[in-house]
Amino acid sequence: MMFFGQAIRSASRYLAVLIALACAAGAMDRVKADEPIDIFDAHLHYNWEPKPYYQVDEVLALLKKHRVTGILATSRPNTGTHALMDAKPQGLWIVPFIRPYRVRADIQTWFGDPFIFDLVQDEFKSGYYRGIGEFHISGKAAEGDWVKKTVDFAVQHDLYLHAHADDLAVEILMRHSPRARIVWAHTGFGLSTDRVAAMLSKYPKLWGELSYRGGIVDGSGTLTAEWRALFERYPDRFLLGSDTWINQRWESYGEIIAGYRAWLAQLPPKIAAQIAHGNAKALFGAER
Ligand SMILES: [Zn+2]
């Protein structure tokens, strides 16, 4: 009888421990669910001219504060990207792209400037770049020889392109090489969702980056029906970006990221995770 009573007591203690562990795990799950979703910022400029808005450690602290755990980093000139890479930050995944600009005016002329093609080739020698961009190109200007050379160089070296372009220019870039992989900066701005859907359907190696993209939410912050449908149809084709091209974007960085989280929360969690960081991982995470 003594033995039986002890067995019951130890069994009930065992049960109590199990219940306590299960409760603790449940509490941890809840904490996890309440934590903000990790964000990959696929349009981050850390411009070095005229001068950096933040020091490197301030940029890293800002990203950490807003739980941005990965960035597609570019800088004009590329010095800013070198500085971020040299910092080897813990907990931040940097995907560096070669910016084909030294100064802002290069935006207007890079696509006809052989010097820029040299710059791209020189930068590539560092060995860590995953793409070229963001570059600006509009309409038939994309037909130029130096643009074709840039697309061919990217394809040859397994680099992505980050193109701020209208839909016509994207089509011309794709015509230069059907093997081109393009991150479409701003996803056509105000282009209709039907046209965006047609582009994504026609070009399986095109991904839409959503900074400055209009129409995703209505005036009250609710995801619009057409964008919900687009995200549900192409959950693996979208990326988020801050586009810190001017100081004001750095100043409002937290609001930009919070704005993304507000509409991500209205999507099914699996799709939200893909857009927030999963798609970036799928694109840039694989070993080369
Ligand atoms: Zn930009």
Side-chain angles (χ1 to χ4, degrees):
M1 280 306 280
M2 270 279 281
F3 174 77
F4 187 65
Q6 269 172 351
I8 295 231
R9 274 196 300 279
S10 65
S12 61
R13 262 202 303 273
Y14 180 65
L15 196 64
V17 169
L18 277 185
I19 289 168
L21 281 174
C23 289
M28 266 155 59
D29 276 356
R30 278 197 299 281
V31 168
K32 218 172 165 189
D34 289 344
E35 278 176 8
I37 193 167
D38 281 7
I39 297 238
F40 183 94
D41 180 347
H43 194 144
L44 187 129
H45 301 297
Y46 184 37
N47 287 335
W48 209 255
E49 70 83 38
K51 62 184 173 64
Y53 180 70
Y54 281 132
Q55 298 306 304
V56 171
D57 56 341
E58 293 171 314
V59 171
L60 300 179
L62 182 76
L63 298 175
K64 196 170 187 176
K65 181 179 173 193
H66 297 291
R67 210 179 168 97
V68 171
T69 52
I71 54 173
L72 188 167
T74 77
S75 162
R76 180 192 73 230
N78 289 286
T79 321
T81 302
H82 304 163
L84 288 172
M85 291 301 283
D86 290 349
K88 297 189 170 53
Q90 291 272 311
L92 178 70
W93 178 35
I94 304 174
V95 178
F97 272 41
I98 302 169
R99 196 107 208 258
Y101 305 153
R102 298 151 297 180
V103 291
R104 190 161 162 72
D106 286 333
I107 289 176
Q108 312 286 344
T109 52
W110 74 272
F111 44 87
D113 185 347
F115 182 90
I116 295 291
F117 189 62
D118 286 346
L119 179 160
V120 169
Q121 290 171 293
D122 276 351
E123 273 298 319
F124 178 71
K125 288 176 190 151
S126 76
Y128 52 52
Y129 285 104
R130 302 300 308 276
I132 303 171
E134 178 201 27
F135 58 79
H136 298 67
I137 199 80
S138 177
K140 292 198 169 191
E143 287 175 347
D145 286 348
W146 296 106
V147 179
K148 161 116 178 93
K149 281 184 208 291
T150 304
V151 173
D152 289 344
F153 185 83
V155 167
Q156 188 186 344
H157 296 285
D158 203 15
L159 298 168
Y160 289 84
L161 297 164
H162 191 198
H164 173 134
D166 54 12
D167 49 337
L168 174 59
V170 170
E171 299 227 58
I172 294 168
L173 294 173
M174 289 294 193
R175 225 180 289 148
H176 285 320
S177 172
R179 285 168 58 210
R181 294 177 298 174
I182 301 178
V183 175
W184 191 9
H186 319 298
T187 317
F189 290 100
L191 195 66
S192 76
T193 46
D194 284 350
R195 181 72 180 128
V196 172
M199 292 289 283
L200 293 175
S201 159
K202 186 171 176 188
Y203 301 108
K205 303 225 172 291
L206 179 67
W207 293 268
E209 180 273 313
L210 296 169
S211 59
Y212 286 103
R213 173 61 232 199
I216 298 175
V217 291
D218 66 17
S220 60
T222 305
L223 202 57
T224 58
E226 50 183 7
W227 274 91
R228 176 182 293 277
L230 202 56
F231 291 144
E232 284 172 354
R233 185 167 163 204
Y234 297 102
D236 55 348
R237 304 291 291 282
F238 291 100
L239 301 159
L240 308 176
S242 63
D243 194 4
T244 47
W245 67 289
I246 45 171
N247 293 344
Q248 184 267 330
R249 298 290 284 182
W250 282 113
E251 287 157 13
S252 55
Y253 193 83
E255 289 153 43
I256 294 166
I257 299 301
Y260 282 131
R261 285 203 174 97
W263 62 250
L264 286 171
Q266 299 168 43
L267 284 167
K270 186 167 179 280
I271 296 178
Q274 282 177 287
I275 297 171
H277 55 256
N279 294 337
K281 201 168 175 198
L283 262 70
F284 310 122
E287 289 295 316
R288 287 188 296 167

